[in-house]
Amino acid sequence: MNYIEIKNEKRLHHGIVRKTDLNLRAEFPELQTIIYQVEDDSFVIQIKNRKVDYHKIEAEFEKSIKPILVPINLSRKKPKEKFKILSSLEDVDIPKGLQGVLMPKFRWADMLMSKFPGINFYKISDEPGVVNIHIANYWYQSNSMKKYQFLTKNQKEDLVEFLKNYKSGIDFRIYVDELDSASDHNGHSKDGSSTYYCNRVARNIPKFVQRDESLWYDNVDSIFESNFKKKQLFFYNQNEYSCYADFSVYPNIDLRYFLLLYQRIYLSPPIDNNLGDWFKAHSMSRAEFIELIIRERITILLVQDVSRYDTDFLNEVFSLKPDAIVSKRAIACLQQCDIIETSDNYLFGDGVSIKEMKFVSEMLSKYMKTDASSLFKTLAWPVVARRKSFDVLQIGGVLSASVYGVNKIISNPPETNISEASEFMLNVFSYASHLSSSLNATYFPVRGKDGFTDATYTEQMGTLLNFYKKATVEGLKNFVEGQQYLIKGNTFIEPIQLLKINDYPPILEFEDVLNKELVFPSSKRLMETLANLNGEEQQRKIKMYNDEINKFLGTQEKTGLVLDLGTQTLNIAIGLASGVPTGPLTSLLKLMSKKPMKRLNPVRGLLEKVELAMNQNEEDTRNIHFLSRINRVAKLKEY
């Protein structure tokens, strides 16, 4: 049988050896290495650093890094026998040629069908050192016409070029089989052979999954080269004020809180083949939820395999709003983009800085009386995440973020020493922290009926991720200043403790009151104003807001559902508080603000009343305006 052969035996083990060297430098990012291939086709990784604990590195290499059946060893010296140098896998080239990535046949099938959707792959089989790829040509009936499905010249060239670049020492043979009709076989052969059949129709993969698989394989090289940014993703808008709410396993707060505060809600739905009970728990219908999606208030993120969800519902949403469904492969793209962008912008991201970081960590550890290794791992995390994340996201998606995530560098959770239970919780919810950070979205901790929440763990991971994003030449100063609020005892705001929803109005009526334009930037400004106050100051501010709103609302008539609170009505509110007629208020205030007038006692007294009503703060004026407009559906709690 004729076939096209792509031989890679001259590069036997090259990809795996490069990946092993990369994994070593991910575990010990300060290392400088050289890879040697010696005459007997074995390999040596030389560690060039002088001041390292070589025995510790060697023990870790043998225990958890070195692949089985690959002739590779560590050394402090270059080989004595004849050798040639094998180039290392650079940080920008990690996914190229899928070096060192070994996959079972079903993953090969998924990858090829995603990368080349126009080619009719038929089956995949293997023998020692060879992968056989079969493509089917056949005639089929389309309406009243008979058409021929075949492999084109351009498709063949693209496939051959792709397989040539696969650098893990495997040969490929491409067979083109002439069939009478399309094959209906799918999955692993039932006759005991090692064949895997590739049937697109029988696999029944939703179109949005196929789209997202292609997104990953078409762009992952460009992501590492920093030529594809997350702002280019179809579902991400960096200018929106957004949150991430995870309902996949545990409950969360009512959707109305999210709608009240954010332009867009990224939401992971429950793992359930029937969402009826979930809709009922949130006092909404299936149609109402879909309408919120169409209005671009909600985007669905599928962190699990699509088979675990209500696929009929997802397909319905996709048919109405294709960009509102994001499967786990597109989420992996988002996470990979975020890691690369963070690493690129990080103050200590280049090789020279890493060596310096190691030295500084050792010096600081003596002063701080802490472990130098832990301190160094904390500073080097963005570099480590870049080197470790591709294999993880390629296979497991963002749910496996704990393999490379900041949870790895947290030594003590709040208020207690690390325990197995705490470590487990950090691992379980690592993906939620990293996903929300990638979205630049507020994360809402899950809330179980028994009071269970992941808030302590996700908040700690979120703080670390924020540090790495802000640790740039431009952003570090602002981040440090922002953290001073936390050091001074100020707390984060939890909307469920701050806001009261009025008797759970119908969700679309609720949304009609709010709408996207009203929510942003008003809700963000309100949260930031209150978050920068301690508990006692928050109470005073909330009472002042509610008092002013009640004064104002007592003079207004409702126009439908939304209160008409424009600039003129705000002037009325100021006028009522100060006892001044509204007509000449603006000009009078300008006159009173002049220095000669401000010296007069009556004018000073009048100005004090106006300033008291508005608390001498333009932000308060805007916050009162926003809260007045949403009073129909929600208000601040006083406590």
Side-chain angles (χ1 to χ4, degrees), residues 38-69:
V38 295
E39 284 185 300
D40 61 355
D41 284 333
S42 63
F43 300 85
V44 173
I45 298 176
Q46 180 195 7
I47 296 175
K48 294 182 66 181
N49 307 62
R50 293 181 179 180
K51 295 182 179 180
V52 293
D53 187 341
Y54 178 78
H55 295 294
K56 177 184 176 182
I57 294 169
E58 186 178 41
E60 185 66 24
F61 178 79
E62 293 291 335
K63 182 178 71 174
S64 61
I65 298 174
K66 180 180 177 179
I68 60 172
L69 304 179

Side-chain angles (χ1 to χ4, degrees), residues 593-607:
S593 65
K594 295 183 182 298
K595 285 185 178 180
M597 293 293 289
K598 289 177 75 173
R599 294 193 186 102
L600 301 175
N601 286 335
V603 174
R604 280 207 308 270
L606 194 56
L607 279 172

Side-chain angles (χ1 to χ4, degrees), residues 230 233-247 252 255 258 262-269 289 296-302 323-326 331 334 435-436 438-444 516:
K230 65 181 180 181
L233 292 167
F234 66 87
F235 59 92
Y236 177 72
N237 185 340
Q238 62 183 351
N239 297 317
E240 284 188 323
Y241 186 44
S242 61
C243 68
Y244 172 55
D246 185 11
F247 290 89
N252 212 309
L255 278 176
F258 307 135
Y262 295 92
Q263 287 175 287
R264 184 178 298 274
I265 305 162
Y266 291 102
L267 184 148
S268 293
F289 186 70
E296 298 186 352
R297 297 302 306 278
I298 294 175
T299 295
I300 294 178
L301 303 184
L302 306 177
D323 289 356
I325 294 280
V326 186
I331 295 172
L334 169 77
L435 176 52
S436 55
S438 297
L439 291 163
N440 289 342
T442 303
Y443 175 63
F444 278 83
K516 211 173 189 178

Side-chain angles (χ1 to χ4, degrees), residues 157-338:
E157 289 174 352
D158 289 345
L159 177 60
V160 169
E161 184 63 25
F162 175 75
L163 295 175
K164 279 182 178 178
N165 290 324
Y166 183 73
K167 299 175 181 178
S168 287
I170 295 174
D171 292 348
F172 297 95
R173 293 173 185 167
I174 302 172
Y175 296 85
V176 179
D177 299 340
E178 296 291 339
L179 304 182
D180 294 333
S181 61
S183 170
D184 58 359
H185 293 294
N186 184 58
H188 292 285
S189 172
K190 296 179 174 59
D191 61 6
S193 69
S194 62
T195 302
Y196 184 88
Y197 289 94
C198 318
N199 188 314
R200 294 183 189 276
V201 177
R203 286 167 77 237
N204 194 28
I205 301 297
K207 290 182 179 179
F208 57 85
V209 173
Q210 296 177 40
R211 173 202 64 194
D212 296 350
E213 291 279 342
S214 296
L215 179 70
W216 171 262
Y217 287 112
D218 288 346
N219 295 294
V220 69
D221 287 356
S222 295
I223 291 173
F224 273 82
E225 292 167 347
S226 304
N227 293 325
F228 186 94
K229 307 285 188 179
K230 65 181 180 181
K231 66 182 180 182
Q232 296 170 251
L233 292 167
F234 66 87
F235 59 92
Y236 177 72
N237 185 340
Q238 62 183 351
N239 297 317
E240 284 188 323
Y241 186 44
S242 61
C243 68
Y244 172 55
D246 185 11
F247 290 89
S248 54
V249 177
Y250 297 98
N252 212 309
I253 61 177
D254 189 85
L255 278 176
R256 289 162 181 79
Y257 285 102
F258 307 135
L259 292 170
L260 179 63
L261 295 172
Y262 295 92
Q263 287 175 287
R264 184 178 298 274
I265 305 162
Y266 291 102
L267 184 148
S268 293
I271 300 172
D272 197 342
N273 290 324
N274 186 347
L275 292 175
D277 290 341
W278 185 71
F279 291 139
K280 185 177 179 180
H282 288 270
S283 302
M284 64 180 170
S285 67
R286 178 189 181 109
E288 287 175 323
F289 186 70
I290 290 176
E291 178 61 27
L292 290 173
I293 293 171
I294 292 171
R295 293 184 187 185
E296 298 186 352
R297 297 302 306 278
I298 294 175
T299 295
I300 294 178
L301 303 184
L302 306 177
V303 295
Q304 302 271 356
D305 188 87
V306 69
S307 63
R308 305 195 67 184
Y309 298 98
D310 184 339
T311 50
D312 289 340
F313 172 75
L314 297 179
N315 285 326
E316 181 181 356
V317 171
F318 180 71
S319 68
L320 297 170
K321 193 75 174 173
D323 289 356
I325 294 280
V326 186
S327 69
K328 70 176 189 177
R329 191 66 89 180
I331 295 172
C333 277
L334 169 77
Q335 172 75 143
Q336 194 71 82
C337 285
D338 192 67

Side-chain angles (χ1 to χ4, degrees), residues 493-499 527 530 542 635-637:
I493 296 294
E494 286 209 59
I496 196 169
Q497 297 173 357
L498 180 70
L499 294 153
M527 292 295 102
L530 295 172
I542 288 170
K635 61 186 179 183
L636 290 173
K637 289 181 181 179

Side-chain angles (χ1 to χ4, degrees), residues 92 383 398 477 482 512 596 620:
V92 296
V383 179
V398 76
K477 181 176 181 291
D512 287 337
D620 288 341

